[in-house]
Amino acid sequence: QVQLVESGGGVVQPGRSLRLSCATSGFTFSNYDMHWVRQAPGKGLEWVAVIWHDGNKKYCADSVKGRFTISRDNSRNTLYLQMNSLRAEDTAVYFCARRSGVWWLRDHYYSMDVWGQGTTVTVSS
Amino acid sequence: EIVLMQSPGTLSLSPGERATLSCRASQSVSSDYLAWYQQKPGQAPRLLIYGASSRATGIPDRFSGSGSGTHFTLIISRLEPEDFAVYYCQQFGSSPPLWTFGQGTKVEIK
């Protein structure tokens, strides 16, 4: 079945870096745009970044611009989030999510239909 | 940037009752761009509705979405015990592409 499994979370000091991974299976990864979404403790959902199916376009939220980089390896069916210059306010559960609809139907779908279980990032000294 | 405001913050209802959740946008949003999610404690969100009114795969027909422009609604016609959760609306903004979520509505057992 379709599955997304995040890893790489942990406790990190402010200013340090961390790389999250999202291993996927059960679907043709290279056909889908992919997102990262985060959720601070006790808070709502915050979209972080998206990457197009072929990696050629990437967009991110202003809150992480210049610090976080989304990437993917279609040969490994894996999505990544490189997080640099981490701040306390980056503490959250990070979810990877699949954009609904394959890339050639991109203009018809703007939701996220499959989610991983999340990986927790804690930024603290 | 379009801001989504959900109301009420908390809805206290009994199983079998009807739940009406509101999502208002600070600017007009295309219906194609509006989705709803359900999230239970300790779990990932689950897509319920996309395109404002289309149910996602496997979603029971007691969930329905409607609306246009700046006001969208999620209705749960008869609450089942498993429906008590937090619900989020989400929209897409096209220039540049970005996604935003409302702050959520918690549906709790009365």
Side-chain angles (χ1 to χ4, degrees):
Chain A
Q1 77 275 24
V2 175
Q3 202 168 8
L4 309 179
V5 179
E6 302 93 336
S7 62
V11 180
V12 62
Q13 292 180 328
R16 303 298 290 264
S17 299
L18 207 59
R19 188 177 83 154
L20 306 183
S21 299
C22 170
T24 75
S25 59
F27 66 102
T28 304
F29 180 65
S30 59
N31 282 346
Y32 289 85
D33 302 342
M34 295 293 295
H35 295 271
W36 285 100
V37 175
R38 68 184 180 182
Q39 186 168 37
K43 303 298 184 182
L45 301 171
E46 180 187 14
W47 175 76
V48 173
V50 66
I51 185 168
W52 260 216
H53 70 105
D54 56 4
N56 282 347
K57 291 188 177 180
K58 309 172 186 182
Y59 302 94
C60 66
D62 286 345
S63 58
V64 304
K65 199 163 289 183
R67 300 188 300 123
F68 290 12
T69 301
I70 189 172
S71 63
R72 65 192 295 159
D73 184 339
N74 284 349
S75 68
R76 297 179 181 269
N77 298 324
T78 302
L79 175 72
Y80 302 100
L81 185 68
Q82 177 67 43
M83 304 186 295
N84 298 332
S85 303
L86 282 161
R87 305 167 180 168
E89 54 265 36
D90 297 319
T91 294
V93 176
Y94 285 75
F95 298 98
C96 60
R98 188 180 79 172
R99 181 174 181 171
S100 305
V102 291
W103 67 268
W104 58 89
L105 297 177
R106 178 182 295 133
D107 290 344
H108 298 277
Y109 295 98
Y110 300 90
S111 54
M112 304 167 198
D113 65 347
V114 181
W115 295 65
Q117 85 290 348
T119 187
T120 300
V121 173
T122 302
V123 184
S124 173
S125 54
Chain B
E1 181 181 321
I2 297 176
V3 176
L4 298 178
M5 294 157 285
Q6 293 187 241
S7 61
T10 301
L11 201 49
S12 298
L13 294 168
S14 301
E17 290 193 294
R18 176 186 179 96
T20 302
L21 287 67
S22 174
C23 176
R24 292 188 181 271
S26 58
Q27 303 172 41
S28 184
V29 173
S30 168
S31 296
D32 290 345
Y33 297 172
L34 200 287
W36 290 92
Y37 300 83
Q38 176 194 67
Q39 188 180 32
K40 298 178 182 179
Q43 296 186 17
R46 177 173 73 143
L47 176 65
L48 297 176
I49 301 288
Y50 65 92
S53 61
S54 298
R55 273 187 301 276
T57 303
I59 300 304
D61 61 7
R62 64 180 181 273
F63 291 91
S64 64
S66 65
S68 64
T70 60
H71 188 208
F72 298 87
T73 302
L74 175 70
I75 291 176
I76 311 170
S77 58
R78 294 172 310 280
L79 282 164
E80 298 287 341
E82 61 268 27
D83 298 337
F84 291 92
V86 179
Y87 293 83
Y88 295 94
C89 58
Q90 167 249 299
Q91 69 92 29
F92 166 79
S94 58
S95 297
L98 62 88
W99 281 254
T100 54
F101 292 90
Q103 84 279 16
T105 289
K106 181 179 181 180
V107 178
E108 65 175 21
I109 300 177
K110 186 175 181 180

